[in-house]
Structures are given as structure tokens and as C-alpha cells.
């Protein structure tokens, strides 16, 4: 059984769904600018209209209500509220979120508000963005405004979404906004400021809260999982999960250890060596604020076995292993091991703030949108999450990514992640078969989800009588 009060949710983010990019005084963000750079976004698309959620908000909330969602995770657009990032508030922009929150509550849906889902105001980017040491204060000031206005009704707050991605792809690889390819030292500094911004924002939210509330964050997880249930493989995977293994952003602990433990991990410091900027120890007092839940975005994973010395060795997925249209391997066990390893290490309740898949969805001749792969994906992933809960991991909620098909960043509109199909020519929404299925799951409080260990064709390795590594390869 899923725990009492489990949050059955779905998620979105401002730039990916809102549209109305130049409406009601919204200022530009780095994504508006990035989309104009030729060759950066598939087919040259942008979020000018996206799902036009800004204008269709009531209709959209009614669909969420129909689905029975208990919680909806959305992000607020910093530059809609503060067109220049700091200074004068754009009342029309702020009141959009006010009205959205009321509409959700009216529909019996808890609002879960993310303050930063990658859309740095362009004016602040022109002042250095996350490279500017003032950025934590800019962000905390914006958070204070949002808390002041909404914390009488919004009880769940998320500071930043996936620093690994907005620093990694945005500041290191240049494939996401703001499109920078900074040297290691500089992106480490930008990342450090983002972590300080997280801490400063937790403080600001708590200082301005009008009611008791819960604060968390939403990094993504690189899920390294064991190739078998043997204790040696489990420990090897755990070790790898908690390691900085290369000089890129793609790890868990460089980001999470400062937030949860108050310092960067020793292996990361060794990897980055002389490139690590001289951080003040007081920075870590700011970064490490008590938070209430560990939000995490999980989509996939890679498996590892122990070598003779117990070190993790990658065991690639075999030929023909299922993948999504993003070519991400389908790995339900990631929703068992990811939450488990995080819970064991950081001892906080876990909320799955994103999980889902891009799929080849289209409208069938009868007008419906059948997406059996999404249903099977969710049944298996949720089965693993349920298994984790059964095995003692405190799991508080699950947010499907995404409620709607939407603007998938550099992929434009090609990748469809939604429970609800969006026809971008007309704006028409059609609940996919998976939306109907999820509705039934929510109504049954997840009682129709089969725990992974009992699935016949289920996730490898979680069955009792664990398979050996050899059988799995
Ligand atoms: C995550 C992002 C989200 C969406 C999904 C597919 O990395 O947080 O906005 O793009 O991936």
C-alpha cells in the first residue's frame, strides 16, 4: 500500500506550457533569447505560445480535477513576476499565479510551487546570471515576494529544479539556455551560487511564511543500480551512486552533499582539483538549510556489478533493451534504488517530483490517443516505488512528468511527455489512455499497483530469489 496521504500528482514548468511570452508585462528570460539562436532548438521552436496555458488555465485545472490529481507541481516564471528580475513587481504576472492557486484549491488540488525551473530573467543574465555573486540574493528576494503573496495558500515549496541540468547543459555544454560553455572553474562557481540561492531561498520562505509550510528542492538523480540483488552488487551500486566519477555535472553528491551535509564531497574536490574556486566556509552554513522533503526527478538508470575488489563495473543494458523516444533506457528499478539510496544517505522523506517518458503518441482514427507504453511504464515504475515504500523508504508523493505535452527545451515540440495530448495547431487537449489509467490509479489510491517483487514480467532483480548478475546480462 502507498502511505496514507500519498500525493498523486503531475508536473509542468512555466516556460514549457504557459506561452503568453509577451503578454501582461512579462519580461524576457534566457529561454526566450536562447530560442532565437539559430540551430539551438529543434525546428527553431520556442515557448511563445506553447500550450497557451496562460489563457487556458481554468480549462486545464478542470482536466486535472477530472483526473483526480491530489497535487499539481508547476513553476512560476521569475520574469513574469519581476520583468527585470529585481525591482518593480508586475502585478498582472503575479496575480496569474494567485488565480491559479485559487483555482487549484477550489478543484481540491494541492499546489506545489517551484520557484526556478531554468528561466533566469534576461536582464539578470546580462548582469552575469548565476555567475554574479549577487544572484543568491536576487533569487531570495523573488522567493520572498512569492511567499508573501501565496504562502497563506501554498504549503509546498520547491526552490530549484535540476541544477545538474541548468548548470551542466546551460553553462558547461551550451545546449540549453543561456548557451554558455564556461571553463570548469566558472561553471563550478555558477553552480555554487545556485546552491547558495537554494539556501538563501529556504531562509526567505521560512521568514515570510504565513502558515506552516514544507520546503524541498528537485535535483535530478543519476541512478546507478545493482545488476543483481547480491550484497556486493548493491554496495558497488551504492558507492557509484554516491560518487563524483567525472569532471562534468552528472552526479548526485556534488550537488546534494552541500545541501544536505554542508560540504562538497571529497572525491569531487579531488576530481575538480585546482579548478575549485575558493569557497568561504560560511557559504555552506547558508547552503545547508533544514528542508522537509527531498524532491527528485528520476527517469532512467544504469546498472553496476561489483568486481573482485568490490568496485562498481558498468553492466550495459543488452541489445534491444526498451528505450523511450528520447532513447532513454526504460528502467523501472530506478524508482526503487534511487529513492532508497537517497533515503539511506540523507534520511529525508522522498518525493518523486518528476517521472515519465516521451512516447510516439498521436490521435487515432477514433479520436482517442492510445499510449499503452506509458501505462506499462508507469505501472512498472510505480510498482518499484511501492516496493521501496514496502522496504522502508519514506515516500510521500509521485508527480508524473508531465501533465501536458509541452515545449521540451532543445527538443522543441517533438517529444511528447504528457498525460494529456496537445494539438499545437489548435490548442486542443485530449486525455491519453494513460490519463484515464492514472485517474483509476488515483481513485484506487494505488491499490491496483502491483509491487515490483510480485510482477511476473516485472523489473529484474527485485523479485524474491534474486537473479544472479550472469542471468541478467
Ligand atoms: C527534466 C526537466 C523537465 C523535462 C523533463 C523531461 O530534466 O526538469 O523540464 O524537460 O526532464
Amino acid at each position: 500500500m502507498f502511505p496514507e496521504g500519498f500525493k498523486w500528482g503531475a508536473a509542468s514548468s512555466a516556460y514549457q506550457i504557459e506561452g503568453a511570452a509577451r503578454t501582461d508585462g512579462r519580461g524576457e528570460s534566457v529561454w526566450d533569447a536562447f530560442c532565437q539562436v539559430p540551430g539551438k532548438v529543434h525546428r527553431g521552436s520556442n515557448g511563445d505560445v506553447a500550450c497557451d496555458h496562460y489563457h487556458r488555465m481554468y480549462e486545464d485545472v478542470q482536466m486535472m480535477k477530472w483526473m483526480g490529481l491530489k497535487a499539481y507541481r508547476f513553476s512560476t516564471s521569475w520574469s513574469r513576476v519581476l520583468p527585470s528580475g529585481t525591482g518593480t513587481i508586475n502585478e498582472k504576472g503575479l496575480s496569474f499565479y494567485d488565480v491559479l492557486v485559487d483555482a487549484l484549491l477550489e478543484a481540491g488540488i494541492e499546489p506545489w510551487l517551484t520557484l526556478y525551473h531554468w528561466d533566469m530573467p534576461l536582464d539578470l543574465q546580462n548582469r552575469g546570471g548565476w555567475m554574479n555573486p549577487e544572484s543568491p540574493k536576487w533569487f531570495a528576494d523573488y522567493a520572498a515576494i512569492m511567499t508573501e503573496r501565496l504562502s497563506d495558500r501554498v504549503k509546498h515549496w520547491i526552490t530549484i529544479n535540476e541544477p545538474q541540468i541548468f548548470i551542466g547543459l546551460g553553462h558547461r555544454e551550451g545546449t540549453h539556455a543561456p548557451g554558455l560553455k564556461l571553463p570548469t572553474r566558472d561553471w563550478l562557481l555558477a553552480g555554487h551560487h545556485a546552491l547558495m540561492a537554494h539556501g538563501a531561498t529556504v531562509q526567505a520562505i521560512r521568514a515570510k511564511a504565513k502558515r506552516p509550510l514544507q520546503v524541498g528542492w528537485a535535483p535530478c538523480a543519476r541512478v546507478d543500480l545493482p545488476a543483481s540483488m547480491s550484497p556486493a552488487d548493491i554496495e558497488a551500486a551504492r558507492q557509484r551512486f554516491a560518487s563524483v566519477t567525472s569532471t562534468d555535472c552528472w552526479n548526485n553528491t556534488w550537488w546534494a552533499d552541500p545541501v544536505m551535509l554542508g560540504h562538497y564531497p571529497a572525491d569531487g574536490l579531488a576530481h575538480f582539483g585546482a579548478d575549485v574556486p575558493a569557497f568561504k566556509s560560511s557559504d555552506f552554513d547558508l547552503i545547508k538549510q533544514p528542508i522537509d522533503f527531498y524532491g527528485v526527478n528520476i527517469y532512467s538508470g544504469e546498472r553496476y556489478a561489483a568486481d573482485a575488489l568490490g568496485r562498481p563495473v558498468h553492466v550495459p543494458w543488452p541489445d534491444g533493451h526498451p528505450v523511450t523516444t528520447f532513447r532513454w533506457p526504460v528502467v523501472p528499478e530506478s524508482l526503487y534504488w534511487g529513492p532508497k539510496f537517497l533515503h539511506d544517505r540523507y534520511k529525508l522523506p522522498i518525493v518523486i517530483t518528476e517521472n515519465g517518458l516521451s512516447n510516439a503518441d498521436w490521435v487515432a482514427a477514433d479520436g482517442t490517443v492510445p499510449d499503452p507504453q506509458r501505462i506499462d511504464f508507469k505501472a512498472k515504475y510505480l510498482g518499484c516505488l511501492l516496493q521501496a515504500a514496502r522496504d522502508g523508504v519514506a515516500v510521500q508523493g509521485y508527480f508524473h512528468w508531465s501533465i501536458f505535452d509541452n515545449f521540451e527545451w532543445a527538443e522543441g515540440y517533438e517529444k511528447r511527455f504528457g498525460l494529456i495530448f496537445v494539438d499545437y495547431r489548435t490548442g486542443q487537449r485530449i486525455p491519453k489512455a494513460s490519463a484515464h489509467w492514472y485517474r483509476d490509479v488515483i481513485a484506487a489510491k494505488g491499490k491496483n499497483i502491483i509491487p515490483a517483487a510480485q510482477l511476473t514480467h516485472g523489473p529484474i532483480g527485485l523479485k524474491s530469489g534474486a537473479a544472479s548478475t550472469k542471468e541478467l546480462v
Side-chain angles (χ1 to χ4, degrees):
M1 282 266 287
F2 285 90
E4 198 46 46
F6 187 80
K7 309 294 178 195
W8 294 99
S12 71
S13 88
Y15 191 70
Q16 294 180 274
I17 65 163
E18 282 180 4
R22 274 166 280 282
T23 305
D24 290 345
R26 175 184 176 277
E28 281 191 280
S29 82
V30 288
W31 270 97
D32 295 290
F34 187 72
C35 289
Q36 288 173 26
V37 182
K40 288 296 187 185
V41 176
H42 183 62
R43 291 172 60 109
S45 300
N46 58 49
D48 282 3
V49 178
C51 306
D52 203 21
H53 171 69
Y54 190 80
H55 295 115
R56 291 173 169 259
M57 185 270 284
Y58 286 109
E59 173 194 348
D60 290 344
V61 171
Q62 284 316 304
M63 296 192 92
M64 296 175 203
K65 183 177 178 184
W66 164 82
M67 215 186 290
L69 290 189
K70 300 289 172 238
Y72 170 54
R73 175 182 176 226
F74 61 97
S75 80
T76 52
S77 155
W78 187 346
S79 63
R80 199 181 282 292
V81 175
L82 292 161
S84 299
T86 58
T88 313
I89 297 174
N90 175 33
E91 179 50 37
K92 280 191 175 162
L94 182 50
S95 62
F96 171 71
Y97 299 111
D98 221 355
V99 174
L100 169 63
V101 165
D102 284 343
L104 289 168
L105 292 172
E106 174 79 35
I109 302 167
E110 257 184 22
W112 284 53
L113 189 156
T114 303
L115 287 158
Y116 189 72
H117 204 121
W118 308 352
D119 43 0
M120 171 71 74
L122 192 57
D123 283 358
L124 295 184
Q125 188 59 41
N126 292 337
R127 292 161 68 188
W130 291 118
M131 286 297 290
N132 190 317
E134 290 287 300
S135 53
K137 184 171 175 341
W138 299 335
F139 188 55
D141 288 350
Y142 150 61
I145 291 166
M146 302 310 290
T147 314
E148 184 110 334
R149 176 64 84 92
L150 299 175
S151 65
D152 56 337
R153 286 156 290 152
V154 176
K155 290 196 201 131
H156 295 88
W157 294 74
I158 292 169
T159 57
I160 54 175
N161 182 70
E162 296 189 347
Q164 291 102 327
I165 305 295
F166 70 79
I167 297 297
L169 300 189
H171 294 74
R172 180 178 176 274
E173 292 176 28
T175 54
H176 273 194
L180 301 175
K181 291 186 183 175
L182 299 176
T184 305
R185 191 180 181 76
D186 289 352
W187 69 255
L188 285 174
L189 187 63
H192 188 71
H193 290 149
L195 295 181
M196 289 173 73
H198 157 82
T201 295
V202 176
Q203 284 186 339
I205 294 172
R206 299 222 194 272
K208 296 281 178 191
K210 296 193 169 155
R211 288 204 181 169
L213 45 72
Q214 299 226 315
V215 192
W217 71 326
C220 48
R222 183 190 77 188
V223 181
D224 304 317
L225 52 103
S228 81
M229 292 297 270
S230 80
D233 285 359
I234 292 173
E235 284 322 301
R238 186 195 299 279
Q239 182 193 326
R240 161 101 196 171
F241 184 92
S243 310
V244 178
T245 48
S246 53
T247 51
D248 58 24
C249 295
W250 194 230
N251 66 72
N252 303 310
T253 45
W254 182 261
W255 309 96
D257 277 12
V259 166
M260 303 304 303
L261 309 176
H263 56 76
Y264 284 113
D267 60 349
L269 291 168
H271 257 292
F272 294 122
D275 283 327
V276 178
F279 299 130
K280 294 203 288 292
S281 63
S282 58
D283 292 353
F284 296 95
D285 300 336
L286 179 64
I287 293 171
K288 184 186 171 232
Q289 296 297 316
I291 55 175
D292 304 295
F293 61 91
Y294 195 112
V296 62
N297 302 344
I298 293 178
Y299 289 89
S300 187
E302 288 294 327
R303 59 189 178 158
Y304 289 83
D307 70 6
L309 297 174
R311 291 171 307 199
V313 180
H314 187 214
V315 182
W317 297 114
D319 282 342
H321 186 86
V323 292
T324 69
T325 61
F326 230 133
R327 309 206 66 74
W328 296 349
V330 175
V331 185
E333 305 88 331
S334 59
L335 226 51
Y336 178 87
W337 293 105
K340 178 166 173 50
F341 286 160
L342 287 171
H343 188 248
D344 287 352
R345 186 173 178 85
Y346 299 126
K347 323 266 184 251
L348 268 188
I350 304 292
V351 175
I352 305 302
T353 35
E354 287 180 24
N355 169 249
L357 77 160
S358 63
N359 194 40
D361 307 319
W362 64 77
V363 183
D366 65 359
T368 64
V369 182
D371 58 342
Q373 281 84 358
R374 188 169 284 102
I375 293 174
D376 185 61
F377 177 103
K378 282 173 69 68
K380 286 177 179 160
Y381 274 68
L382 282 167
C384 287
L385 187 64
L386 175 56
Q387 191 68 46
R390 287 188 156 200
D391 291 354
V393 179
V395 189
Q396 292 185 336
Y398 171 90
F399 290 80
H400 177 82
W401 184 273
S402 170
I403 181 73
F404 310 112
D405 292 337
N406 60 42
F407 175 74
E408 178 48 39
W409 310 114
E411 307 295 324
Y413 293 95
E414 201 204 24
K415 302 282 185 281
R416 292 188 177 271
F417 274 91
L419 291 166
I420 295 173
F421 182 91
V422 177
D423 181 336
Y424 296 112
R425 295 165 307 174
T426 61
Q428 189 194 357
R429 280 94 162 114
I430 306 173
K432 300 178 191 176
S434 59
H436 292 268
W437 178 86
Y438 194 38
R439 181 174 188 247
D440 292 345
V441 170
I442 297 172
K445 297 186 174 171
K447 288 196 188 94
N448 43 0
I449 296 295
I450 302 168
Q454 291 167 21
L455 286 172
T456 321
H457 297 285
I460 53 169
L462 293 178
K463 285 178 220 147
S464 44
S468 75
T469 309
K470 215 165 139 234
E471 281 171 57
L472 300 172
V473 180

